[in-house]
Amino acid sequence: MSARSRDLPRRSCLSIPGSSEKMMGKGPGIPADMVFLDLEDAVAPKEKESSRAKIATAIRTQDWGDKVMCVRVNDWSTKWTAFDIIEVVAGAGERLDEIMLPKVETAAQIVATDLLLRQVEIANGLPIGHIGIEAQIETARGLINVEEICAASSRLETIIFGPADFAASMEMPVLTGGVQIAEYPGDHFHYVFSKILMAGRANGLQVIDGPYLYIRDSEGFKNYCQRTRTLGYDGKWALHPDQVAILNEVFSPTQEQFDRAWAILDAYSSATEGEGKGAVMFGDEMIDEASRKMALKFISRGSRAGLTRSK
Ligand code: GLV
Ligand code: MG
């Protein structure tokens, strides 16, 4: 795992096609927590090989601040994966934090990526373990194996849901992935969201929701983001710069929640340490050890988002 990026926020994960020097040029100015330069589905087959060098140059020569820097390579069923990794890592140098692996179906594919990265790191004078892995779950087989996948390597930093490919893999009768299906009485992805979240959390990973394809529909996007935010996800993809500000807001605690979490922690620690009590009243609410754990999650999420205590 990349020591630098593992705990950085990923509220907004911006996708940029690696074939477009123009779009990569604009990337540093967009306030996304994480950026991934794509070699997979946003790049046409005949552009894939030439895009590797463009991506490496963009990572090496542009000032990306403290964004998490990632490259999405092609999946292991293609002829490109190993060559994508070898060329991009060699060319990008140490500013590259992670490789994103799409359509992961087995733990063996993560192990293969881990072993290849180790050799590439040694060959390029990078510390072993420098490059982390983000894994996308977007097929029926990937979802069945998600628990083993999340436990397959210490390089793993995130597990990501890919709704568009997943809808195709499941043969759902939809032509737009990652949006609500009006005819379905409930959330057709609820089981999927929960299963991926549990597997990720059980292995200490950040858990990320994928794209929302109606990029002009800000209201619908904001509303849809609340589903995975409410379940506990850390962030979601942005396909357009306009989606980034919405994500940064939805996936951060408010100042009020952050201050309240601190106040709960204070009240609980003075009760347990001072008065020797396990449970205590906090306003109208009874708080105990579980409240402390919930408060700590808000504090770490808020601190990662740059909040400081205001009272
Ligand atoms: C993302 O890659 C998706 O397929 O939704
Ligand atoms: Mg996909």
Side-chain angles (χ1 to χ4, degrees):
M1 60 134 182
S2 162
R4 196 191 83 82
S5 60
R6 181 156 202 126
D7 293 321
L8 287 176
R10 288 175 177 78
R11 297 165 302 176
S12 45
C13 305
L14 178 67
S15 166
I16 305 183
S19 49
S20 169
E21 280 153 324
K22 188 169 159 218
M23 285 165 105
M24 288 192 287
K26 291 187 181 154
I30 301 168
D33 291 337
M34 179 270 200
V35 167
F36 69 95
L37 307 180
D38 198 12
L39 279 171
E40 205 223 13
D41 286 357
V43 174
K46 66 178 179 28
E47 299 286 321
K48 291 202 191 268
E49 279 154 29
S50 58
S51 297
R52 293 176 189 145
K54 291 186 193 169
I55 285 178
T57 304
I59 294 175
R60 218 183 40 251
T61 60
Q62 298 180 185
D63 180 0
W64 295 92
D66 61 3
K67 291 183 193 317
V68 178
M69 284 308 299
C70 183
V71 173
R72 180 165 74 163
V73 298
N74 290 282
D75 78 86
W76 278 114
S77 71
T78 69
K79 61 179 178 182
W80 295 297
T81 320
F83 303 96
D84 286 347
I85 292 176
I86 292 166
E87 194 172 330
V88 164
V89 174
E94 63 184 358
R95 185 59 186 83
L96 176 65
D97 295 307
E98 325 173 291
I99 290 292
M100 185 189 297
L101 199 57
K103 302 182 180 68
V104 178
E105 300 212 301
T106 63
Q109 292 174 338
I110 299 291
V111 174
T113 310
D114 182 324
L115 291 172
L116 175 60
L117 282 170
R118 188 171 187 281
Q119 287 193 347
V120 176
E121 284 166 345
I122 295 169
N124 290 285
L126 295 169
I128 292 176
H130 178 73
I131 301 195
I133 299 175
E134 301 218 357
Q136 278 188 280
I137 298 297
E138 36 187 1
T139 63
R141 183 152 304 283
L143 189 67
I144 287 170
N145 292 329
V146 67
E147 290 166 29
E148 292 81 36
I149 289 169
C150 285
S153 165
S154 58
R155 289 183 192 266
L156 277 165
E157 300 190 21
T158 70
I159 189 85
I160 307 163
F161 176 47
D165 275 303
F166 189 79
S169 168
M170 295 292 278
E171 303 190 26
M172 288 177 170
V174 290
L175 289 170
T176 308
V179 298
Q180 176 63 19
I181 299 178
E183 295 76 18
Y184 189 79
D187 182 349
H188 61 296
F189 281 147
H190 180 73
Y191 169 75
V192 184
F193 287 149
S194 298
K195 182 160 172 148
I196 293 175
L197 179 66
M198 276 189 272
R201 290 287 184 247
N203 290 282
L205 306 184
Q206 290 199 37
V207 186
I208 308 294
D209 187 16
Y212 180 86
L213 301 173
Y214 294 133
I215 57 172
R216 295 203 177 87
D217 175 18
S218 304
E219 226 14 73
F221 179 63
K222 189 166 181 180
N223 185 27
Y224 200 81
C225 292
Q226 297 291 355
R227 292 167 193 237
T228 44
R229 169 68 188 103
T230 303
L231 288 173
Y233 277 55
D234 295 283
K236 182 170 169 66
W237 283 13
L239 297 183
H240 187 276
D242 290 350
Q243 294 183 327
V244 169
I246 296 173
L247 289 172
N248 289 348
E249 185 196 325
V250 171
F251 283 92
S252 303
T254 61
Q255 184 69 48
E256 196 186 332
Q257 290 168 325
F258 188 73
D259 289 338
R260 182 174 167 84
W262 271 112
I264 289 175
L265 221 56
D266 284 351
Y268 183 68
S269 69
S270 71
T272 47
E273 285 154 33
E275 303 153 45
K277 290 185 186 159
V280 66
M281 286 308 284
F282 177 77
D284 292 338
E285 187 188 333
M286 173 79 86
I287 59 168
D288 64 7
E289 175 58 23
S291 318
R292 187 186 71 87
K293 289 201 178 88
M294 290 189 282
L296 279 177
K297 295 292 174 193
F298 272 90
I299 289 169
S300 72
R301 215 179 251 270
S303 308
R304 283 196 316 212
L307 291 181
T308 52
R309 196 173 177 177
S310 74
K311 51 184 178 200

